[in-house]
Amino acid sequence: MIIRLDQQNKEQAKQILHIQLAAYQREAEQIGYQDLPPLKETVKAIMETDEMFIGFERKGALLGIASYEMHEDRIVLCRLAVHPQHVHQGIGTKLMQSIIEHQLPIELTTAEANIPAIQLYEKLGFKQTTSLQVENNLMLTKMERSMLRKVEVVEYQTSWPEQYHHELDKLKKVVGDNWVEGHHIGSTSVKGMAAKPIIDILLEVKHVSELDKCNHLFRQLGYEPLGENGLKGRRFFRKGGLSRSHHVHAYETGHDDVKRHLVFRDYLRAAPERADAYAHKKRQLAKAHPEDIASYINGKDAIIKEIEQEAYNWSKQLKTNDQTSE
């Protein structure tokens, strides 16, 4: 069965390294290259990495491991290792299938001479993209697996605030005493604005790290816990797979990103012409990239930065006006 591993636990880090050294030594012998980076790692190095680790366990014994980095628009596979005594049992496939379930594009790099690994990845839908040469003439091949999520921008739905409140009530019970406040953010929080039909929820909590203990409760609500997911100090949860329905962004109260999200939302509520411009841009991008979420996200970057700066200036002016009126 597939299990989540905690590489910061020294005993688990030792098990990870044991499998990694055995597997990559076998690969080194197969490709005729003894200087593979995974063979130089230590328990300390594994404990310090921010990668997400999973393992394949049978009868209490760890037989294979994989690790990866989660990004908003993709996954980067960092390592895949099965103990040599347990190869050809489908363990590598099961580990990869577990990662594929995140429903994001996946990138990886492997030795060009590692034919068994390349064949495994191709069977799972990966395609070779580029080759590169590193030191001592080792040739690597980059591979990618695309994941299509339909990009859909719809007109404002009057049910969105109700959906937010309904979900917030459930989240309060999950977070418990750690709760501070919840906010409806994102485009679905701006009345009259077209948006992807995903309810974005901002949670303020007392201690963000305590949320890690609630991951099983978030899963019971249908959420996928993704840790910081690229933003320091955040805990991110998503719901709905390819038919995404909710995002939860959790921060400790007082975090700078709490204010950033709320000022962005409040400015769009107060400046309907800018909300219209943002919605127009999203419609254009959704039409141009109906099955390319990464291009859709990248295409919004410039106008988001523009609006964020405008929102900051607007908020600063409001504060100045308030101080003057006093």
Side-chain angles (χ1 to χ4, degrees), residues 9-22:
N9 178 296
K10 190 171 184 179
E11 291 307 311
Q12 288 205 357
K14 286 180 179 179
Q15 293 181 57
I16 290 168
L17 184 62
H18 171 72
I19 291 173
Q20 176 170 303
L21 292 178

Side-chain angles (χ1 to χ4, degrees), residues 54-286:
I54 59 173
F56 181 88
E57 187 180 66
R58 183 186 294 152
K59 296 182 180 179
L62 189 64
L63 308 182
I65 60 98
S67 73
Y68 53 97
E69 296 174 348
M70 293 288 304
H71 301 272
E72 186 173 354
D73 60 348
R74 72 192 190 284
I75 293 171
V76 178
L77 182 71
C78 302
R79 69 194 84 205
L80 177 67
V82 177
H83 195 281
Q85 294 179 0
H86 299 280
V87 295
H88 307 307
Q89 297 177 21
I91 295 173
T93 298
K94 289 183 174 65
L95 287 164
M96 288 303 303
Q97 287 173 335
S98 177
I99 297 172
I100 289 169
E101 286 178 2
H102 288 297
Q103 298 180 334
L104 282 174
I106 304 174
E107 301 173 358
L108 63 88
T109 303
T110 190
E112 202 170 74
N114 191 354
I115 303 303
I118 291 174
Q119 290 175 339
L120 167 65
Y121 295 135
E122 288 180 337
K123 183 178 72 172
L124 292 170
F126 287 81
K127 294 182 179 180
Q128 298 185 52
T129 55
T130 58
S131 295
L132 62 153
Q133 181 177 321
V134 293
E135 58 186 22
N136 298 328
N137 297 320
L138 176 65
M139 294 297 298
L140 301 178
T141 184
K142 289 189 174 182
M143 305 185 72
E144 294 181 359
R145 184 183 192 277
S146 299
M147 178 59 69
L148 301 179
R149 175 157 68 92
K150 185 175 176 58
V151 180
E152 181 183 23
V153 173
V154 303
E155 296 308 308
Y156 180 79
Q157 305 292 308
T158 57
S159 63
W160 285 342
E162 182 182 348
Q163 291 178 41
Y164 156 72
H165 286 293
H166 179 71
E167 197 71 13
L168 195 69
D169 289 340
K170 293 187 286 185
L171 291 168
K172 279 184 181 180
K173 295 176 183 177
V174 166
V175 176
D177 292 340
N178 197 22
W179 179 271
V180 175
E181 189 58 86
H183 309 274
H184 189 184
I185 61 169
S187 298
T188 60
S189 70
V190 181
K191 187 175 181 180
M193 185 174 175
K196 294 202 308 306
I198 301 172
I199 306 299
D200 280 281
I201 300 172
L202 173 65
L203 298 186
E204 293 185 62
V205 297
K206 298 172 186 175
H207 307 288
V208 73
S209 61
E210 289 295 306
L211 290 178
D212 298 335
K213 300 176 183 177
C214 303
N215 281 346
H216 66 293
L217 298 176
F218 277 95
R219 289 191 182 97
Q220 288 175 11
L221 292 182
Y223 284 93
E224 180 183 7
L226 296 175
E228 289 188 332
N229 200 40
L231 292 179
K232 189 172 179 60
R234 176 178 75 163
R235 292 298 183 272
F236 182 63
F237 307 84
R238 68 185 181 199
K239 185 176 185 178
L242 288 180
S243 300
R244 197 71 50 81
S245 61
H246 296 78
H247 289 157
V248 172
H249 316 252
Y251 295 92
E252 287 185 5
T253 191
H255 193 286
D256 288 345
D257 280 353
V258 172
K259 182 179 179 181
R260 178 176 63 82
H261 279 296
L262 295 179
V263 167
F264 188 88
R265 178 200 68 186
D266 293 346
Y267 175 66
L268 287 179
R269 287 176 171 177
E273 72 284 355
R274 296 303 283 143
D276 288 344
Y278 185 32
H280 178 67
K281 182 65 174 178
K282 290 193 294 182
R283 290 190 190 98
Q284 285 183 323
L285 291 167

Side-chain angles (χ1 to χ4, degrees), residues 2-45:
I2 301 295
I3 60 171
R4 179 72 187 275
L5 298 175
D6 178 10
Q7 75 273 20
Q8 296 179 346
N9 178 296
K10 190 171 184 179
E11 291 307 311
Q12 288 205 357
K14 286 180 179 179
Q15 293 181 57
I16 290 168
L17 184 62
H18 171 72
I19 291 173
Q20 176 170 303
L21 292 178
Y24 281 96
Q25 183 57 49
R26 182 173 184 266
E27 178 181 342
E29 294 168 359
Q30 288 176 333
I31 68 174
Y33 184 82
Q34 293 296 323
D35 206 27
L36 293 174
L39 294 175
K40 300 177 182 179
E41 279 198 299
T42 63
V43 170
K44 183 174 182 292

